[in-house]
Amino acid sequence: MKIAVIGCGYLGAVHAAAMASLGFDTVGVDVDASKVERLGRGEPPFFEPGLPELLRAGVGAGRLRFTTDVAEAAGSDVVFIAVGTPQLPGSDAADLAFVDAAIASLEPHLGAGMLVVGKSTVPVGTAARLAEVVRPTGARLAWNPEFLREGFAVQDTLAPDRLVYGVEPGDDAAVERLDAVYASVLERGTERLVLDFATAELVKVSANAFLATKISFINAMAELAETVGADVTLLADAIGLDARIGRRFLNAGLGFGGGCLPKDIRAFQARASELGHADTLAFLGEVDRINLRRRDRMAALIERELDAVGGDRVAMLGLAFKPDSDDVRDSPALDVCRHLQRAGRSVIGFDPQARETAGRVLPSLEIAGSVADAVRGADVLALGTEWRDFRELDPVEVAQWTQARVVVDGRNTLDAARWSAAGFRVVGLGKPEVQPA
């Protein structure tokens, strides 16, 4: 079976490498020549654990190649659409320009028996519209939403917790073709759901909206906890024991960011409004606002601590929006750095992987080459991304690198007792402060 993947960004590059690892002859197509060149050498243009090995194996075996020529998708049995759907400038709606351009570029190369499969996150109703474009070519359309977590993308592609197929009524051939693609995944007992287009489209955005709501709920509780002196982490432990609620994604702190959750909940709201249901998803506006308030709160806490010690310099540990990624799109940590810079504070940041991407997005930020370099000379330390490197830091050693004796833990993930024993005061979000031992 021959497979093509249109769009070789985060989603497409991982998917193409995964398809090749399953034994398929795979070609990835992207308009960015420099990206194509790097991928062709087996070098991903972003950090994702496990992807370099998968790419090199596919390229080395001759099963995986990359090109800028969409004509090379001709004759493929399955063509996956994996382009981005960013937030439309000046609007909350999703920008479908890349999806539409991908379909338009493919049209001359489609033919009978080919299956076009959308993986991009799109507003409900998009698949039905695109099916009308694809049908005259003799090809068919299906929608197979992705559920990747950055940092776990390879695992989530090759061992997902479910597969969702959105197909037109009675299109058994599309189901059979997708079953052939995912045969090894299905053999492991992975749940497979065959749905209509609209339901398949709603699965992804609904899941993201629910996760965002759960995160913002516990952060709303953190706001109350700070006022009454409660501990939001212990609160989350207690309510998370309820099987109906569960503990996952009940971690209060700096909130969510990245290229999916923020823009997806906004696009979901925008689409609901277009459909005459603005009130139905109005609560997502508050979910968004709670999330953004956590950034303001962390910046305020850092400024308070700087004023208390008569200092001006903060070391931000972590710049990516989440650990195990170099993605700084809508990064809460980077946003806090901006807040502090606007307030006239001196900020130096460090991240194990996102130093280059952060430097491109925020050139005014001073970026250190190591934790030691970042904290040296700082008046306050701050944790913005919960990398294992930071969670496992020896606070006794850190105390030797810096005169700072307060750390603002924006992820509530540091071992406060260890840091306290080393002479630090630990300030969390929604938690009582821990004084130096």
Side-chain angles (χ1 to χ4, degrees):
M1 188 183 299
K2 182 180 177 183
I3 288 178
V5 179
I6 309 300
C8 295
Y10 181 82
L11 167 61
V14 173
H15 196 71
M19 292 298 98
S21 77
L22 295 178
F24 300 115
D25 178 14
T26 306
V27 59
V29 183
D30 198 280
V31 296
D32 187 334
S34 62
K35 183 191 299 181
V36 164
E37 183 181 357
R38 286 191 63 178
L39 288 167
R41 296 196 303 265
E43 301 173 6
F46 50 86
F47 177 75
E48 178 62 34
L51 181 57
E53 295 83 358
L54 212 62
L55 278 173
R56 288 194 293 268
V59 171
R63 289 192 302 269
L64 178 62
R65 57 193 175 85
F66 296 91
T67 180
T68 57
D69 186 0
V70 71
E72 300 223 20
S76 296
D77 298 287
V78 180
V79 181
F80 287 100
I81 305 297
V83 296
T85 52
Q87 194 169 327
L88 196 64
S91 169
D92 284 343
D95 186 350
L96 296 180
F98 298 116
V99 173
D100 290 336
I103 294 294
S105 67
L106 271 174
E107 271 189 89
H109 311 293
L110 296 177
M114 294 177 67
L115 179 65
V116 178
V117 182
K119 292 200 69 68
S120 304
T121 302
V122 295
V124 61
T126 303
R129 174 175 65 83
L130 295 179
E132 295 298 323
V133 177
V134 169
R135 193 175 295 114
T137 69
R140 302 185 312 283
L141 183 82
W143 217 264
N144 172 219
E146 55 88 10
F147 303 101
L148 303 190
R149 299 166 296 164
E150 292 197 28
F152 300 91
V154 172
Q155 171 188 324
D156 289 345
T157 303
L158 295 175
D161 52 16
R162 80 278 207 196
L163 288 169
V164 172
Y165 303 167
V167 299
E168 294 191 277
D171 193 352
D172 295 336
V175 174
E176 290 174 7
R177 184 70 56 83
L178 284 170
D179 280 350
V181 170
Y182 294 116
S184 62
V185 177
L186 293 168
E187 285 171 2
R188 291 194 294 271
T190 301
E191 189 78 20
R192 185 203 70 174
L193 297 95
V194 179
L195 311 172
D196 56 85
F197 281 156
T199 306
E201 290 166 318
L202 284 172
V203 169
K204 175 61 187 292
V205 290
S206 298
N208 277 356
F210 187 85
L211 293 177
T213 301
K214 194 170 184 181
I215 295 168
S216 282
F217 171 83
I218 200 62
N219 277 323
M221 296 304 100
E223 292 180 353
L224 291 176
E226 288 184 4
T227 299
V228 302
D231 188 323
V232 72
T233 300
L234 298 179
L235 173 64
D237 289 342
I239 64 177
L241 288 172
D242 188 325
R244 297 169 300 175
I245 297 173
R247 185 62 176 83
R248 295 189 66 193
F249 288 89
L250 275 181
N251 297 311
L254 194 45
F256 57 82
C260 290
L261 288 191
K263 65 100 175 173
D264 284 355
I265 64 171
R266 293 164 193 160
F268 200 10
Q269 280 184 279
R271 183 57 176 150
S273 294
E274 292 172 354
L275 295 170
H277 288 279
D279 291 344
T280 303
L281 295 183
F283 72 94
L284 288 180
E286 187 57 31
V287 166
D288 200 6
R289 286 187 288 274
I290 291 169
N291 187 58
L292 294 175
R293 280 204 303 269
R294 303 318 289 158
R295 306 176 187 194
D296 295 337
R297 177 57 177 161
M298 184 171 179
L301 285 173
I302 293 170
E303 288 213 77
R304 184 194 74 183
E305 297 304 323
L306 287 170
D307 290 340
V309 299
D312 192 56
R313 187 170 175 81
V314 58
M316 180 65 72
L317 302 182
L319 302 171
F321 89 94
K322 65 174 291 186
D324 298 312
S325 172
D326 65 351
D327 194 344
V328 296
R329 288 177 294 174
D330 202 8
S331 165
L334 212 55
D335 209 13
V336 172
C337 292
R338 290 190 188 93
H339 283 228
L340 294 169
Q341 286 186 329
R342 286 196 294 267
R345 305 295 188 170
S346 173
V347 187
I348 181 169
F350 172 74
D351 190 282
Q353 293 292 336
R355 297 186 296 279
E356 184 178 337
T357 50
R360 288 200 298 266
V361 172
L362 189 59
S364 60
L365 179 65
E366 182 181 353
I367 297 178
S370 68
V371 173
D373 289 343
V375 304
R376 193 173 291 117
D379 300 300
V380 170
L381 312 183
L383 180 72
T385 313
E386 63 275 35
W387 283 90
R388 177 180 291 181
D389 301 37
F390 303 145
R391 298 198 308 268
E392 296 180 352
L393 276 173
D394 181 353
V396 173
E397 189 173 15
V398 175
Q400 296 173 356
W401 299 333
T402 179
Q403 296 299 309
R405 288 298 179 266
V406 59
V407 56
V408 179
D409 183 358
R411 295 298 180 179
N412 291 337
T413 192
L414 298 177
D415 186 334
R418 288 183 65 224
W419 284 79
S420 169
F424 289 88
R425 184 159 57 88
V426 181
V427 179
L429 297 181
K431 295 170 64 69
E433 293 180 11
V434 178
Q435 300 299 322

